[in-house]
Amino acid sequence: MLYDSGFLIFDIIEGNVNHVGCYLQILFDDYAHPAYVTQKARSKHVKWAETGEGFVRELQASNIFMRLNKEELGDADDVVASAVYNT
């Protein structure tokens, strides 16, 4: 592998959520603030069709956190669902 870090560009197409009115936040590693926040989910089947980006510091050790939050810039106390993935 030539590079261990760089920008990850992602498309958020659609999703099913249990909580109408929430926001999907994308976070990388241990950053306190989301790299990207979607528009508010206005129904349980959301068609976001959004593109975002985030910085991956170390490909082999980085994680991507996806969380549904009650508030656009809400913190961990406002999370209604979350998932974590290895890059």
Side-chain angles (χ1 to χ4, degrees):
M1 183 177 325
L2 189 57
Y3 300 104
D4 243 7
S5 62
F7 284 94
L8 174 68
I9 299 171
F10 50 85
D11 290 324
I12 302 170
I13 300 167
E14 63 183 302
N16 293 314
V17 298
N18 289 331
H19 302 276
V20 176
C22 63
Y23 300 83
L24 177 62
Q25 298 176 329
I26 309 295
L27 298 94
F28 289 85
D29 299 324
D30 56 356
Y31 291 125
H33 300 286
Y36 190 83
V37 180
T38 65
Q39 296 293 314
K40 183 186 282 190
R42 304 218 182 271
S43 68
K44 289 193 173 191
H45 181 79
V46 187
K47 294 192 181 216
W48 278 299
E50 299 182 31
T51 300
E53 67 179 36
F55 188 73
V56 176
R57 290 187 288 191
E58 187 178 347
L59 187 59
Q60 302 301 332
S62 289
N63 291 307
I64 300 169
F65 297 86
M66 300 175 76
R67 64 186 190 191
L68 289 175
N69 202 303
K70 296 177 195 172
E71 303 294 328
E72 184 174 5
L73 298 176
D75 57 18
D77 294 335
D78 298 315
V79 173
V80 294
S82 64
V84 61
Y85 303 96
N86 298 325
T87 55

mmCIF file with all atom_site columns, all heavy atoms in Angstrom, residues 14-16 18 22-23 25-27 33 35 38 42 48-50 53 55-57 60-61 65-66 71-72 74 81:
data_model
loop_
_atom_site.group_PDB
_atom_site.id
_atom_site.type_symbol
_atom_site.label_atom_id
_atom_site.label_alt_id
_atom_site.label_comp_id
_atom_site.label_asym_id
_atom_site.label_entity_id
_atom_site.label_seq_id
_atom_site.pdbx_PDB_ins_code
_atom_site.Cartn_x
_atom_site.Cartn_y
_atom_site.Cartn_z
_atom_site.occupancy
_atom_site.B_iso_or_equiv
_atom_site.pdbx_formal_charge
_atom_site.auth_seq_id
_atom_site.auth_comp_id
_atom_site.auth_asym_id
_atom_site.auth_atom_id
_atom_site.pdbx_PDB_model_num
ATOM 1   N N   . GLU A 1 14 ? -29.721 6.276  0.756  1.00 0.00 ? 14 GLU A N   1
ATOM 2   C CA  . GLU A 1 14 ? -31.008 6.179  1.428  1.00 0.00 ? 14 GLU A CA  1
ATOM 3   C C   . GLU A 1 14 ? -30.880 5.264  2.625  1.00 0.00 ? 14 GLU A C   1
ATOM 4   O O   . GLU A 1 14 ? -29.862 4.604  2.816  1.00 0.00 ? 14 GLU A O   1
ATOM 5   C CB  . GLU A 1 14 ? -32.096 5.674  0.488  1.00 0.00 ? 14 GLU A CB  1
ATOM 6   C CG  . GLU A 1 14 ? -31.860 4.274  -0.029 1.00 0.00 ? 14 GLU A CG  1
ATOM 7   C CD  . GLU A 1 14 ? -32.926 3.850  -1.026 1.00 0.00 ? 14 GLU A CD  1
ATOM 8   O OE1 . GLU A 1 14 ? -34.123 3.856  -0.642 1.00 0.00 ? 14 GLU A OE1 1
ATOM 9   O OE2 . GLU A 1 14 ? -32.563 3.534  -2.155 1.00 0.00 ? 14 GLU A OE2 1
ATOM 10  N N   . GLY A 1 15 ? -31.913 5.234  3.442  1.00 0.00 ? 15 GLY A N   1
ATOM 11  C CA  . GLY A 1 15 ? -31.879 4.367  4.603  1.00 0.00 ? 15 GLY A CA  1
ATOM 12  C C   . GLY A 1 15 ? -33.232 4.266  5.270  1.00 0.00 ? 15 GLY A C   1
ATOM 13  O O   . GLY A 1 15 ? -34.142 5.055  4.991  1.00 0.00 ? 15 GLY A O   1
ATOM 14  N N   . ASN A 1 16 ? -33.359 3.290  6.134  1.00 0.00 ? 16 ASN A N   1
ATOM 15  C CA  . ASN A 1 16 ? -34.556 3.117  6.950  1.00 0.00 ? 16 ASN A CA  1
ATOM 16  C C   . ASN A 1 16 ? -34.185 3.435  8.388  1.00 0.00 ? 16 ASN A C   1
ATOM 17  O O   . ASN A 1 16 ? -33.211 2.892  8.915  1.00 0.00 ? 16 ASN A O   1
ATOM 18  C CB  . ASN A 1 16 ? -35.078 1.689  6.849  1.00 0.00 ? 16 ASN A CB  1
ATOM 19  C CG  . ASN A 1 16 ? -35.588 1.374  5.462  1.00 0.00 ? 16 ASN A CG  1
ATOM 20  O OD1 . ASN A 1 16 ? -36.318 2.150  4.877  1.00 0.00 ? 16 ASN A OD1 1
ATOM 21  N ND2 . ASN A 1 16 ? -35.167 0.240  4.926  1.00 0.00 ? 16 ASN A ND2 1
ATOM 22  N N   . ASN A 1 18 ? -35.733 4.247  12.503 1.00 0.00 ? 18 ASN A N   1
ATOM 23  C CA  . ASN A 1 18 ? -36.860 4.062  13.415 1.00 0.00 ? 18 ASN A CA  1
ATOM 24  C C   . ASN A 1 18 ? -37.303 5.359  14.061 1.00 0.00 ? 18 ASN A C   1
ATOM 25  O O   . ASN A 1 18 ? -38.361 5.411  14.679 1.00 0.00 ? 18 ASN A O   1
ATOM 26  C CB  . ASN A 1 18 ? -36.503 3.052  14.509 1.00 0.00 ? 18 ASN A CB  1
ATOM 27  C CG  . ASN A 1 18 ? -36.414 1.645  13.969 1.00 0.00 ? 18 ASN A CG  1
ATOM 28  O OD1 . ASN A 1 18 ? -37.081 1.306  13.014 1.00 0.00 ? 18 ASN A OD1 1
ATOM 29  N ND2 . ASN A 1 18 ? -35.572 0.828  14.573 1.00 0.00 ? 18 ASN A ND2 1
ATOM 30  N N   . CYS A 1 22 ? -34.475 12.557 13.068 1.00 0.00 ? 22 CYS A N   1
ATOM 31  C CA  . CYS A 1 22 ? -33.085 12.439 13.497 1.00 0.00 ? 22 CYS A CA  1
ATOM 32  C C   . CYS A 1 22 ? -32.136 12.768 12.344 1.00 0.00 ? 22 CYS A C   1
ATOM 33  O O   . CYS A 1 22 ? -32.551 12.943 11.205 1.00 0.00 ? 22 CYS A O   1
ATOM 34  C CB  . CYS A 1 22 ? -32.810 11.055 14.053 1.00 0.00 ? 22 CYS A CB  1
ATOM 35  S SG  . CYS A 1 22 ? -33.027 9.740  12.852 1.00 0.00 ? 22 CYS A SG  1
ATOM 36  N N   . TYR A 1 23 ? -30.866 12.848 12.663 1.00 0.00 ? 23 TYR A N   1
ATOM 37  C CA  . TYR A 1 23 ? -29.809 13.146 11.696 1.00 0.00 ? 23 TYR A CA  1
ATOM 38  C C   . TYR A 1 23 ? -28.804 12.003 11.708 1.00 0.00 ? 23 TYR A C   1
ATOM 39  O O   . TYR A 1 23 ? -28.496 11.451 12.761 1.00 0.00 ? 23 TYR A O   1
ATOM 40  C CB  . TYR A 1 23 ? -29.065 14.426 12.088 1.00 0.00 ? 23 TYR A CB  1
ATOM 41  C CG  . TYR A 1 23 ? -29.942 15.640 12.142 1.00 0.00 ? 23 TYR A CG  1
ATOM 42  C CD1 . TYR A 1 23 ? -30.695 15.926 13.272 1.00 0.00 ? 23 TYR A CD1 1
ATOM 43  C CD2 . TYR A 1 23 ? -30.020 16.510 11.068 1.00 0.00 ? 23 TYR A CD2 1
ATOM 44  C CE1 . TYR A 1 23 ? -31.497 17.052 13.330 1.00 0.00 ? 23 TYR A CE1 1
ATOM 45  C CE2 . TYR A 1 23 ? -30.816 17.644 11.111 1.00 0.00 ? 23 TYR A CE2 1
ATOM 46  C CZ  . TYR A 1 23 ? -31.553 17.896 12.250 1.00 0.00 ? 23 TYR A CZ  1
ATOM 47  O OH  . TYR A 1 23 ? -32.346 19.013 12.296 1.00 0.00 ? 23 TYR A OH  1
ATOM 48  N N   . GLN A 1 25 ? -25.071 11.086 11.532 1.00 0.00 ? 25 GLN A N   1
ATOM 49  C CA  . GLN A 1 25 ? -23.751 11.694 11.704 1.00 0.00 ? 25 GLN A CA  1
ATOM 50  C C   . GLN A 1 25 ? -22.678 10.671 11.335 1.00 0.00 ? 25 GLN A C   1
ATOM 51  O O   . GLN A 1 25 ? -22.774 9.511  11.714 1.00 0.00 ? 25 GLN A O   1
ATOM 52  C CB  . GLN A 1 25 ? -23.525 12.125 13.148 1.00 0.00 ? 25 GLN A CB  1
ATOM 53  C CG  . GLN A 1 25 ? -24.496 13.169 13.645 1.00 0.00 ? 25 GLN A CG  1
ATOM 54  C CD  . GLN A 1 25 ? -24.275 13.478 15.110 1.00 0.00 ? 25 GLN A CD  1
ATOM 55  O OE1 . GLN A 1 25 ? -23.861 12.627 15.887 1.00 0.00 ? 25 GLN A OE1 1
ATOM 56  N NE2 . GLN A 1 25 ? -24.566 14.713 15.489 1.00 0.00 ? 25 GLN A NE2 1
ATOM 57  N N   . ILE A 1 26 ? -21.665 11.123 10.602 1.00 0.00 ? 26 ILE A N   1
ATOM 58  C CA  . ILE A 1 26 ? -20.523 10.284 10.248 1.00 0.00 ? 26 ILE A CA  1
ATOM 59  C C   . ILE A 1 26 ? -19.309 10.843 10.972 1.00 0.00 ? 26 ILE A C   1
ATOM 60  O O   . ILE A 1 26 ? -18.968 12.025 10.815 1.00 0.00 ? 26 ILE A O   1
ATOM 61  C CB  . ILE A 1 26 ? -20.266 10.284 8.721  1.00 0.00 ? 26 ILE A CB  1
ATOM 62  C CG1 . ILE A 1 26 ? -21.544 9.956  7.948  1.00 0.00 ? 26 ILE A CG1 1
ATOM 63  C CG2 . ILE A 1 26 ? -19.117 9.350  8.372  1.00 0.00 ? 26 ILE A CG2 1
ATOM 64  C CD1 . ILE A 1 26 ? -22.087 8.576  8.159  1.00 0.00 ? 26 ILE A CD1 1
ATOM 65  N N   . LEU A 1 27 ? -18.650 10.002 11.778 1.00 0.00 ? 27 LEU A N   1
ATOM 66  C CA  . LEU A 1 27 ? -17.466 10.416 12.527 1.00 0.00 ? 27 LEU A CA  1
ATOM 67  C C   . LEU A 1 27 ? -16.310 9.487  12.197 1.00 0.00 ? 27 LEU A C   1
ATOM 68  O O   . LEU A 1 27 ? -16.516 8.320  11.857 1.00 0.00 ? 27 LEU A O   1
ATOM 69  C CB  . LEU A 1 27 ? -17.726 10.365 14.031 1.00 0.00 ? 27 LEU A CB  1
ATOM 70  C CG  . LEU A 1 27 ? -18.816 11.275 14.566 1.00 0.00 ? 27 LEU A CG  1
ATOM 71  C CD1 . LEU A 1 27 ? -20.131 10.551 14.635 1.00 0.00 ? 27 LEU A CD1 1
ATOM 72  C CD2 . LEU A 1 27 ? -18.429 11.807 15.911 1.00 0.00 ? 27 LEU A CD2 1
ATOM 73  N N   . HIS A 1 33 ? -16.259 15.859 16.884 1.00 0.00 ? 33 HIS A N   1
ATOM 74  C CA  . HIS A 1 33 ? -17.332 16.394 16.046 1.00 0.00 ? 33 HIS A CA  1
ATOM 75  C C   . HIS A 1 33 ? -17.468 15.570 14.769 1.00 0.00 ? 33 HIS A C   1
ATOM 76  O O   . HIS A 1 33 ? -16.485 15.091 14.230 1.00 0.00 ? 33 HIS A O   1
ATOM 77  C CB  . HIS A 1 33 ? -17.054 17.857 15.698 1.00 0.00 ? 33 HIS A CB  1
ATOM 78  C CG  . HIS A 1 33 ? -16.966 18.727 16.906 1.00 0.00 ? 33 HIS A CG  1
ATOM 79  N ND1 . HIS A 1 33 ? -18.065 19.099 17.634 1.00 0.00 ? 33 HIS A ND1 1
ATOM 80  C CD2 . HIS A 1 33 ? -15.898 19.284 17.533 1.00 0.00 ? 33 HIS A CD2 1
ATOM 81  C CE1 . HIS A 1 33 ? -17.686 19.852 18.649 1.00 0.00 ? 33 HIS A CE1 1
ATOM 82  N NE2 . HIS A 1 33 ? -16.373 19.972 18.617 1.00 0.00 ? 33 HIS A NE2 1
ATOM 83  N N   . ALA A 1 35 ? -17.709 14.443 10.967 1.00 0.00 ? 35 ALA A N   1
ATOM 84  C CA  . ALA A 1 35 ? -17.133 14.907 9.704  1.00 0.00 ? 35 ALA A CA  1
ATOM 85  C C   . ALA A 1 35 ? -18.261 15.297 8.748  1.00 0.00 ? 35 ALA A C   1
ATOM 86  O O   . ALA A 1 35 ? -18.075 16.138 7.879  1.00 0.00 ? 35 ALA A O   1
ATOM 87  C CB  . ALA A 1 35 ? -16.280 13.809 9.080  1.00 0.00 ? 35 ALA A CB  1
ATOM 88  N N   . THR A 1 38 ? -26.130 14.565 7.853  1.00 0.00 ? 38 THR A N   1
ATOM 89  C CA  . THR A 1 38 ? -27.147 14.633 6.799  1.00 0.00 ? 38 THR A CA  1
ATOM 90  C C   . THR A 1 38 ? -28.245 15.635 7.152  1.00 0.00 ? 38 THR A C   1
ATOM 91  O O   . THR A 1 38 ? -28.302 16.148 8.271  1.00 0.00 ? 38 THR A O   1
ATOM 92  C CB  . THR A 1 38 ? -27.814 13.262 6.587  1.00 0.00 ? 38 THR A CB  1
ATOM 93  O OG1 . THR A 1 38 ? -28.522 12.919 7.788  1.00 0.00 ? 38 THR A OG1 1
ATOM 94  C CG2 . THR A 1 38 ? -26.813 12.198 6.217  1.00 0.00 ? 38 THR A CG2 1
ATOM 95  N N   . ARG A 1 42 ? -37.065 12.963 7.468  1.00 0.00 ? 42 ARG A N   1
ATOM 96  C CA  . ARG A 1 42 ? -38.460 13.418 7.555  1.00 0.00 ? 42 ARG A CA  1
ATOM 97  C C   . ARG A 1 42 ? -39.464 12.265 7.470  1.00 0.00 ? 42 ARG A C   1
ATOM 98  O O   . ARG A 1 42 ? -40.664 12.482 7.588  1.00 0.00 ? 42 ARG A O   1
ATOM 99  C CB  . ARG A 1 42 ? -38.723 14.437 6.472  1.00 0.00 ? 42 ARG A CB  1
ATOM 100 C CG  . ARG A 1 42 ? -37.756 15.595 6.533  1.00 0.00 ? 42 ARG A CG  1
ATOM 101 C CD  . ARG A 1 42 ? -38.423 16.905 6.220  1.00 0.00 ? 42 ARG A CD  1
ATOM 102 N NE  . ARG A 1 42 ? -37.484 18.008 6.234  1.00 0.00 ? 42 ARG A NE  1
ATOM 103 C CZ  . ARG A 1 42 ? -37.178 18.720 7.297  1.00 0.00 ? 42 ARG A CZ  1
ATOM 104 N NH1 . ARG A 1 42 ? -37.718 18.421 8.456  1.00 0.00 ? 42 ARG A NH1 1
ATOM 105 N NH2 . ARG A 1 42 ? -36.326 19.719 7.231  1.00 0.00 ? 42 ARG A NH2 1
ATOM 106 N N   . TRP A 1 48 ? -31.623 10.359 1.180  1.00 0.00 ? 48 TRP A N   1
ATOM 107 C CA  . TRP A 1 48 ? -30.740 11.498 1.406  1.00 0.00 ? 48 TRP A CA  1
ATOM 108 C C   . TRP A 1 48 ? -30.057 11.951 0.116  1.00 0.00 ? 48 TRP A C   1
ATOM 109 O O   . TRP A 1 48 ? -29.995 13.128 -0.156 1.00 0.00 ? 48 TRP A O   1
ATOM 110 C CB  . TRP A 1 48 ? -29.693 11.167 2.464  1.00 0.00 ? 48 TRP A CB  1
ATOM 111 C CG  . TRP A 1 48 ? -30.170 11.310 3.868  1.00 0.00 ? 48 TRP A CG  1
ATOM 112 C CD1 . TRP A 1 48 ? -30.627 12.450 4.454  1.00 0.00 ? 48 TRP A CD1 1
ATOM 113 C CD2 . TRP A 1 48 ? -30.240 10.305 4.868  1.00 0.00 ? 48 TRP A CD2 1
ATOM 114 N NE1 . TRP A 1 48 ? -30.976 12.210 5.748  1.00 0.00 ? 48 TRP A NE1 1
ATOM 115 C CE2 . TRP A 1 48 ? -30.749 10.903 6.042  1.00 0.00 ? 48 TRP A CE2 1
ATOM 116 C CE3 . TRP A 1 48 ? -29.915 8.954  4.888  1.00 0.00 ? 48 TRP A CE3 1
ATOM 117 C CZ2 . TRP A 1 48 ? -30.929 10.196 7.225  1.00 0.00 ? 48 TRP A CZ2 1
ATOM 118 C CZ3 . TRP A 1 48 ? -30.096 8.261  6.062  1.00 0.00 ? 48 TRP A CZ3 1
ATOM 119 C CH2 . TRP A 1 48 ? -30.593 8.880  7.216  1.00 0.00 ? 48 TRP A CH2 1
ATOM 120 N N   . ALA A 1 49 ? -29.454 11.051 -0.633 1.00 0.00 ? 49 ALA A N   1
ATOM 121 C CA  . ALA A 1 49 ? -28.714 11.386 -1.851 1.00 0.00 ? 49 ALA A CA  1
ATOM 122 C C   . ALA A 1 49 ? -27.704 12.498 -1.581 1.00 0.00 ? 49 ALA A C   1
ATOM 123 O O   . ALA A 1 49 ? -27.707 13.542 -2.232 1.00 0.00 ? 49 ALA A O   1
ATOM 124 C CB  . ALA A 1 49 ? -29.665 11.761 -2.979 1.00 0.00 ? 49 ALA A CB  1
ATOM 125 N N   . GLU A 1 50 ? -26.825 12.268 -0.599 1.00 0.00 ? 50 GLU A N   1
ATOM 126 C CA  . GLU A 1 50 ? -25.825 13.256 -0.197 1.00 0.00 ? 50 GLU A CA  1
ATOM 127 C C   . GLU A 1 50 ? -24.428 12.664 -0.322 1.00 0.00 ? 50 GLU A C   1
ATOM 128 O O   . GLU A 1 50 ? -24.240 11.458 -0.228 1.00 0.00 ? 50 GLU A O   1
ATOM 129 C CB  . GLU A 1 50 ? -26.069 13.706 1.246  1.00 0.00 ? 50 GLU A CB  1
ATOM 130 C CG  . GLU A 1 50 ? -27.417 14.367 1.448  1.00 0.00 ? 50 GLU A CG  1
ATOM 131 C CD  . GLU A 1 50 ? -27.625 14.856 2.867  1.00 0.00 ? 50 GLU A CD  1
ATOM 132 O OE1 . GLU A 1 50 ? -26.637 15.231 3.531  1.00 0.00 ? 50 GLU A OE1 1
ATOM 133 O OE2 . GLU A 1 50 ? -28.783 14.861 3.313  1.00 0.00 ? 50 GLU A OE2 1
ATOM 134 N N   . GLU A 1 53 ? -17.282 13.735 2.943  1.00 0.00 ? 53 GLU A N   1
ATOM 135 C CA  . GLU A 1 53 ? -15.895 13.269 3.006  1.00 0.00 ? 53 GLU A CA  1
ATOM 136 C C   . GLU A 1 53 ? -15.389 13.354 4.434  1.00 0.00 ? 53 GLU A C   1
ATOM 137 O O   . GLU A 1 53 ? -15.906 14.108 5.252  1.00 0.00 ? 53 GLU A O   1
ATOM 138 C CB  . GLU A 1 53 ? -14.996 14.079 2.089  1.00 0.00 ? 53 GLU A CB  1
ATOM 139 C CG  . GLU A 1 53 ? -14.825 15.518 2.516  1.00 0.00 ? 53 GLU A CG  1
ATOM 140 C CD  . GLU A 1 53 ? -13.903 16.285 1.595  1.00 0.00 ? 53 GLU A CD  1
ATOM 141 O OE1 . GLU A 1 53 ? -13.916 16.053 0.387  1.00 0.00 ? 53 GLU A OE1 1
ATOM 142 O OE2 . GLU A 1 53 ? -13.157 17.136 2.115  1.00 0.00 ? 53 GLU A OE2 1
ATOM 143 N N   . PHE A 1 55 ? -11.481 12.502 6.806  1.00 0.00 ? 55 PHE A N   1
ATOM 144 C CA  . PHE A 1 55 ? -10.062 12.191 6.744  1.00 0.00 ? 55 PHE A CA  1
ATOM 145 C C   . PHE A 1 55 ? -9.757  10.915 7.520  1.00 0.00 ? 55 PHE A C   1
ATOM 146 O O   . PHE A 1 55 ? -10.115 10.787 8.687  1.00 0.00 ? 55 PHE A O   1
ATOM 147 C CB  . PHE A 1 55 ? -9.218  13.342 7.292  1.00 0.00 ? 55 PHE A CB  1
ATOM 148 C CG  . PHE A 1 55 ? -7.753  13.148 7.082  1.00 0.00 ? 55 PHE A CG  1
ATOM 149 C CD1 . PHE A 1 55 ? -7.207  13.294 5.824  1.00 0.00 ? 55 PHE A CD1 1
ATOM 150 C CD2 . PHE A 1 55 ? -6.923  12.779 8.127  1.00 0.00 ? 55 PHE A CD2 1
ATOM 151 C CE1 . PHE A 1 55 ? -5.850  13.097 5.606  1.00 0.00 ? 55 PHE A CE1 1
ATOM 152 C CE2 . PHE A 1 55 ? -5.573  12.581 7.923  1.00 0.00 ? 55 PHE A CE2 1
ATOM 153 C CZ  . PHE A 1 55 ? -5.038  12.739 6.667  1.00 0.00 ? 55 PHE A CZ  1
ATOM 154 N N   . VAL A 1 56 ? -9.106  9.975  6.862  1.00 0.00 ? 56 VAL A N   1
ATOM 155 C CA  . VAL A 1 56 ? -8.674  8.718  7.475  1.00 0.00 ? 56 VAL A CA  1
ATOM 156 C C   . VAL A 1 56 ? -7.200  8.877  7.822  1.00 0.00 ? 56 VAL A C   1
ATOM 157 O O   . VAL A 1 56 ? -6.362  9.066  6.941  1.00 0.00 ? 56 VAL A O   1
ATOM 158 C CB  . VAL A 1 56 ? -8.870  7.523  6.513  1.00 0.00 ? 56 VAL A CB  1
ATOM 159 C CG1 . VAL A 1 56 ? -8.338  6.249  7.122  1.00 0.00 ? 56 VAL A CG1 1
ATOM 160 C CG2 . VAL A 1 56 ? -10.332 7.384  6.150  1.00 0.00 ? 56 VAL A CG2 1
ATOM 161 N N   . ARG A 1 57 ? -6.888  8.831  9.116  1.00 0.00 ? 57 ARG A N   1
ATOM 162 C CA  . ARG A 1 57 ? -5.498  9.045  9.556  1.00 0.00 ? 57 ARG A CA  1
ATOM 163 C C   . ARG A 1 57 ? -4.605  7.844  9.294  1.00 0.00 ? 57 ARG A C   1
ATOM 164 O O   . ARG A 1 57 ? -3.471  7.993  8.885  1.00 0.00 ? 57 ARG A O   1
ATOM 165 C CB  . ARG A 1 57 ? -5.455  9.388  11.046 1.00 0.00 ? 57 ARG A CB  1
ATOM 166 C CG  . ARG A 1 57 ? -6.015  10.751 11.339 1.00 0.00 ? 57 ARG A CG  1
ATOM 167 C CD  . ARG A 1 57 ? -5.801  11.117 12.760 1.00 0.00 ? 57 ARG A CD  1
ATOM 168 N NE  . ARG A 1 57 ? -6.693  10.323 13.601 1.00 0.00 ? 57 ARG A NE  1
ATOM 169 C CZ  . ARG A 1 57 ? -6.888  10.546 14.874 1.00 0.00 ? 57 ARG A CZ  1
ATOM 170 N NH1 . ARG A 1 57 ? -6.268  11.508 15.494 1.00 0.00 ? 57 ARG A NH1 1
ATOM 171 N NH2 . ARG A 1 57 ? -7.722  9.787  15.554 1.00 0.00 ? 57 ARG A NH2 1
ATOM 172 N N   . GLN A 1 60 ? -5.234  1.169  8.358  1.00 0.00 ? 60 GLN A N   1
ATOM 173 C CA  . GLN A 1 60 ? -5.296  -0.126 9.054  1.00 0.00 ? 60 GLN A CA  1
ATOM 174 C C   . GLN A 1 60 ? -5.932  -0.029 10.442 1.00 0.00 ? 60 GLN A C   1
ATOM 175 O O   . GLN A 1 60 ? -6.432  -1.027 10.967 1.00 0.00 ? 60 GLN A O   1
ATOM 176 C CB  . GLN A 1 60 ? -3.898  -0.727 9.186  1.00 0.00 ? 60 GLN A CB  1
ATOM 177 C CG  . GLN A 1 60 ? -3.192  -0.924 7.876  1.00 0.00 ? 60 GLN A CG  1
ATOM 178 C CD  . GLN A 1 60 ? -3.948  -1.837 6.918  1.00 0.00 ? 60 GLN A CD  1
ATOM 179 O OE1 . GLN A 1 60 ? -4.688  -2.714 7.324  1.00 0.00 ? 60 GLN A OE1 1
ATOM 180 N NE2 . GLN A 1 60 ? -3.776  -1.612 5.638  1.00 0.00 ? 60 GLN A NE2 1
ATOM 181 N N   . ALA A 1 61 ? -5.925  1.163  11.059 1.00 0.00 ? 61 ALA A N   1
ATOM 182 C CA  . ALA A 1 61 ? -6.400  1.288  12.443 1.00 0.00 ? 61 ALA A CA  1
ATOM 183 C C   . ALA A 1 61 ? -7.606  2.203  12.607 1.00 0.00 ? 61 ALA A C   1
ATOM 184 O O   . ALA A 1 61 ? -8.176  2.272  13.688 1.00 0.00 ? 61 ALA A O   1
ATOM 185 C CB  . ALA A 1 61 ? -5.261  1.802  13.322 1.00 0.00 ? 61 ALA A CB  1
ATOM 186 N N   . PHE A 1 65 ? -17.623 5.823  12.389 1.00 0.00 ? 65 PHE A N   1
ATOM 187 C CA  . PHE A 1 65 ? -18.775 5.722  13.268 1.00 0.00 ? 65 PHE A CA  1
ATOM 188 C C   . PHE A 1 65 ? -19.976 6.354  12.577 1.00 0.00 ? 65 PHE A C   1
ATOM 189 O O   . PHE A 1 65 ? -19.884 7.480  12.089 1.00 0.00 ? 65 PHE A O   1
ATOM 190 C CB  . PHE A 1 65 ? -18.512 6.448  14.590 1.00 0.00 ? 65 PHE A CB  1
ATOM 191 C CG  . PHE A 1 65 ? -17.383 5.863  15.376 1.00 0.00 ? 65 PHE A CG  1
ATOM 192 C CD1 . PHE A 1 65 ? -16.079 6.265  15.142 1.00 0.00 ? 65 PHE A CD1 1
ATOM 193 C CD2 . PHE A 1 65 ? -17.616 4.906  16.346 1.00 0.00 ? 65 PHE A CD2 1
ATOM 194 C CE1 . PHE A 1 65 ? -15.020 5.725  15.854 1.00 0.00 ? 65 PHE A CE1 1
ATOM 195 C CE2 . PHE A 1 65 ? -16.569 4.359  17.067 1.00 0.00 ? 65 PHE A CE2 1
ATOM 196 C CZ  . PHE A 1 65 ? -15.266 4.767  16.817 1.00 0.00 ? 65 PHE A CZ  1
ATOM 197 N N   . MET A 1 66 ? -21.068 5.635  12.529 1.00 0.00 ? 66 MET A N   1
ATOM 198 C CA  . MET A 1 66 ? -22.318 6.164  11.988 1.00 0.00 ? 66 MET A CA  1
ATOM 199 C C   . MET A 1 66 ? -23.302 6.162  13.144 1.00 0.00 ? 66 MET A C   1
ATOM 200 O O   . MET A 1 66 ? -23.478 5.139  13.816 1.00 0.00 ? 66 MET A O   1
ATOM 201 C CB  . MET A 1 66 ? -22.833 5.284  10.855 1.00 0.00 ? 66 MET A CB  1
ATOM 202 C CG  . MET A 1 66 ? -21.864 5.174  9.702  1.00 0.00 ? 66 MET A CG  1
ATOM 203 S SD  . MET A 1 66 ? -22.419 4.017  8.447  1.00 0.00 ? 66 MET A SD  1
ATOM 204 C CE  . MET A 1 66 ? -23.676 4.995  7.663  1.00 0.00 ? 66 MET A CE  1
ATOM 205 N N   . GLU A 1 71 ? -30.342 15.448 17.553 1.00 0.00 ? 71 GLU A N   1
ATOM 206 C CA  . GLU A 1 71 ? -29.979 16.828 17.240 1.00 0.00 ? 71 GLU A CA  1
ATOM 207 C C   . GLU A 1 71 ? -28.928 16.853 16.139 1.00 0.00 ? 71 GLU A C   1
ATOM 208 O O   . GLU A 1 71 ? -28.076 15.969 16.064 1.00 0.00 ? 71 GLU A O   1
ATOM 209 C CB  . GLU A 1 71 ? -29.431 17.535 18.481 1.00 0.00 ? 71 GLU A CB  1
ATOM 210 C CG  . GLU A 1 71 ? -30.379 17.546 19.651 1.00 0.00 ? 71 GLU A CG  1
ATOM 211 C CD  . GLU A 1 71 ? -31.633 18.362 19.399 1.00 0.00 ? 71 GLU A CD  1
ATOM 212 O OE1 . GLU A 1 71 ? -31.560 19.368 18.664 1.00 0.00 ? 71 GLU A OE1 1
ATOM 213 O OE2 . GLU A 1 71 ? -32.693 17.986 19.919 1.00 0.00 ? 71 GLU A OE2 1
ATOM 214 N N   . GLU A 1 72 ? -28.941 17.881 15.310 1.00 0.00 ? 72 GLU A N   1
ATOM 215 C CA  . GLU A 1 72 ? -27.980 17.982 14.209 1.00 0.00 ? 72 GLU A CA  1
ATOM 216 C C   . GLU A 1 72 ? -26.534 17.953 14.716 1.00 0.00 ? 72 GLU A C   1
ATOM 217 O O   . GLU A 1 72 ? -25.691 17.259 14.185 1.00 0.00 ? 72 GLU A O   1
ATOM 218 C CB  . GLU A 1 72 ? -28.233 19.260 13.419 1.00 0.00 ? 72 GLU A CB  1
ATOM 219 C CG  . GLU A 1 72 ? -27.345 19.406 12.207 1.00 0.00 ? 72 GLU A CG  1
ATOM 220 C CD  . GLU A 1 72 ? -27.711 20.604 11.357 1.00 0.00 ? 72 GLU A CD  1
ATOM 221 O OE1 . GLU A 1 72 ? -28.587 21.396 11.745 1.00 0.00 ? 72 GLU A OE1 1
ATOM 222 O OE2 . GLU A 1 72 ? -27.097 20.741 10.282 1.00 0.00 ? 72 GLU A OE2 1
ATOM 223 N N   . GLY A 1 74 ? -25.861 17.254 18.005 1.00 0.00 ? 74 GLY A N   1
ATOM 224 C CA  . GLY A 1 74 ? -25.957 16.635 19.317 1.00 0.00 ? 74 GLY A CA  1
ATOM 225 C C   . GLY A 1 74 ? -24.769 15.749 19.631 1.00 0.00 ? 74 GLY A C   1
ATOM 226 O O   . GLY A 1 74 ? -24.054 15.284 18.749 1.00 0.00 ? 74 GLY A O   1
ATOM 227 N N   . ALA A 1 81 ? -29.155 5.482  17.849 1.00 0.00 ? 81 ALA A N   1
ATOM 228 C CA  . ALA A 1 81 ? -28.624 4.237  17.280 1.00 0.00 ? 81 ALA A CA  1
ATOM 229 C C   . ALA A 1 81 ? -27.220 4.532  16.754 1.00 0.00 ? 81 ALA A C   1
ATOM 230 O O   . ALA A 1 81 ? -26.915 5.664  16.361 1.00 0.00 ? 81 ALA A O   1
ATOM 231 C CB  . ALA A 1 81 ? -29.500 3.744  16.136 1.00 0.00 ? 81 ALA A CB  1
#
